[in-house]
Amino acid sequence: MPDESGRSRGGSFPWTIPETFGVPGASRARWLAVVGLCALVWALMRATFFLGVAGSDDIRYMRFAACWDRPPANHLEARLIANGLVAGAMKLGGRTELAAVTPALLSSALMLGCVLYGCYRFAGVWHALWAGLLVAVLPMNVDEATTVSAHAVMTALLTLGTLLFVLGPESSALRLVAAGSLALGVVTHYTGAYYVAWLAAAALVVDRRRFLKPVALTAAAGVLFVLADMAVFHFAYGDALGRFRACVAQSPDKVQRVPLFVDGGLTPEFFAFPILGLLFSKAFGVALVVALGTAVWRYRRFPRPLRVLALTALACWLWMSFGTQVPWDYRPFARNTRYLHPLLFSVAILFACAVVAPRRRLVGVGAGLAVLGVCVLNLMGSGSWGQNVEISRELLAYAKVHPQTRFVTDVNTLNEMYIINRLRTPANVVTLDDREPGRIIDPAAFAARVTQADLKPSDEILVNVLNHRRNPDFGVFVAARAGRTRYKTQPVYRTICRLVPPLRAYSWAIRRPAARVCECTAPATR
């Protein structure tokens, strides 16, 4: 029998959970059915809601990984582990979206496997079913798994490390692998350091004697891996601090303090955002509040491994919501739920505990289905994120079948065409001389940019309205110079609106506005 700490007195495995916590006697066939069902739902969700290129950080990752022709110029390119995986996948599968997202897809699969195995060792088959289904349908995981993302790779490594960290703190082999995985996750994306710090702190609070060695080993591995990362930058690029310089160049005043943290002062919205995100968000639905509520509600009844997960989830959410990035100044994190992605392992298992716990099984099943249903509805109601690239794809197809016409478009649409066209900008597509020419990622397109004075009556304008917010000057240009529309696609509704036609009457129903090609008129004269 295991004692209160979860340690077995008679068995060889030190962290066996009491039988009353799980579902004893589950047959191998039942376990295989659960694993198969979760894997099937996982694959179905990612195939149905595949994102691909989103026109954000991913295009920087893909361009650098495919070319690798210079030292990293920003914090995205400086994440060499993630970029190296993307580069390897593109070497094998070509410069395609599917090849580029393969590391993220495999990372998501690893997360699912870790959650299922964690339930196998900690709990029971019903816990595995609910936890696995949540991982399969969680919008944050679906989105991160189907685009180029360092967050997905980091979270997979942290998930594996967390599983092994709580699984066998008295096993030398597991301690080594856990420490290496956690440290590698931190080096992949430095925001993982906050999660690892709180995991270590929670473990020491729950059982300092048992977790002291794993925590020390993880800290040592972290220092070693950071030094190794610095050594790579030193020998490859001649600057051991190159990655840190790239991170510092990403000014927190420009990114993190707008618009909720203004001029050094806190606003009510700053505090409201994480609270509202806890109660409901696109990324987690209502799973986060259920998981953290369960962490508080059932903490005293949890065995010690789950107490570590519960404390880690609570502390990490509080720090990412209201903490600071650096100790010498209060620099809050961006109001972005993606920083909570490392909590996936804890959230999934705590959610399963909440569903399986009620004495009336129908109550638990109903609540679990409701949480999963909200996640699916969130995916079906997804808005315009990434649809700018789909408009660019439609405009690219039009430009290709009209090779004799020169087209002018905004910088972001040009970059997106470059990426989805396998890193080749069409020869007949140019952009205007941008005020920030460093935004143009294709050197050939940079050299070919034009001014408004260079435009001719035979030129046409490629209009991607979803990119005008990031290119307001081009939006003004379109308003002034766009003439008769020569080509226009049909708008695309959100998935849920396609299934429920009456919803199309609402203004938010359109997910992807129409792509337009317009004549370029002469400038107005006074």
Side-chain angles (χ1 to χ4, degrees), residues 33-119:
V34 166
V35 172
L37 176 62
C38 292
L40 178 63
V41 175
W42 178 92
L44 180 63
M45 290 294 104
R46 280 143 191 80
T48 303
F49 300 103
F50 186 86
L51 181 58
V53 176
S56 184
D57 296 349
D58 53 342
I59 64 174
R60 301 283 176 176
Y61 287 126
M62 288 182 66
R63 192 270 169 203
F64 183 76
C67 300
W68 216 298
D69 53 351
R70 53 173 171 74
N74 52 62
H75 66 295
L76 302 174
E77 296 177 354
R79 294 165 184 162
L80 299 185
I81 294 176
N83 282 312
L85 293 174
V86 175
M90 295 176 76
K91 285 286 186 182
L92 295 174
R95 295 178 171 182
T96 64
E97 291 176 83
L98 184 59
V101 305
T102 297
L105 273 172
L106 295 177
S107 297
S108 178
L110 177 59
M111 296 176 216
L112 176 64
C114 288
V115 167
L116 292 174
Y117 186 75
C119 290

Side-chain angles (χ1 to χ4, degrees), residues 445-503:
F446 175 77
R449 67 194 192 283
V450 300
T451 64
Q452 291 194 36
D454 298 326
L455 297 178
K456 303 175 181 178
S458 58
D459 295 336
E460 296 182 0
I461 305 173
L462 302 178
V463 181
N464 185 341
V465 294
L466 289 183
N467 280 333
H468 285 184
R469 181 182 300 178
R470 295 183 287 180
N471 300 273
D473 290 345
F474 190 80
V476 173
F477 165 76
V478 170
R481 302 285 299 270
R484 183 170 60 93
T485 298
R486 298 185 61 87
Y487 173 74
K488 184 178 180 180
T489 62
Q490 292 297 318
V492 176
Y493 292 98
R494 299 173 190 251
T495 303
I496 193 170
C497 297
R498 295 203 297 269
L499 297 176
V500 186
L503 295 178

Side-chain angles (χ1 to χ4, degrees), residues 103-108 111 141 143-159 188-189 338 341:
L105 273 172
L106 295 177
S107 297
S108 178
M111 296 176 216
N141 194 253
D143 287 344
E144 293 285 352
T146 56
T147 191
V148 183
S149 170
H151 274 88
V153 178
M154 171 197 70
T155 303
L157 292 168
L158 296 182
T159 300
T188 300
H189 197 302
R338 73 187 306 177
H341 202 184

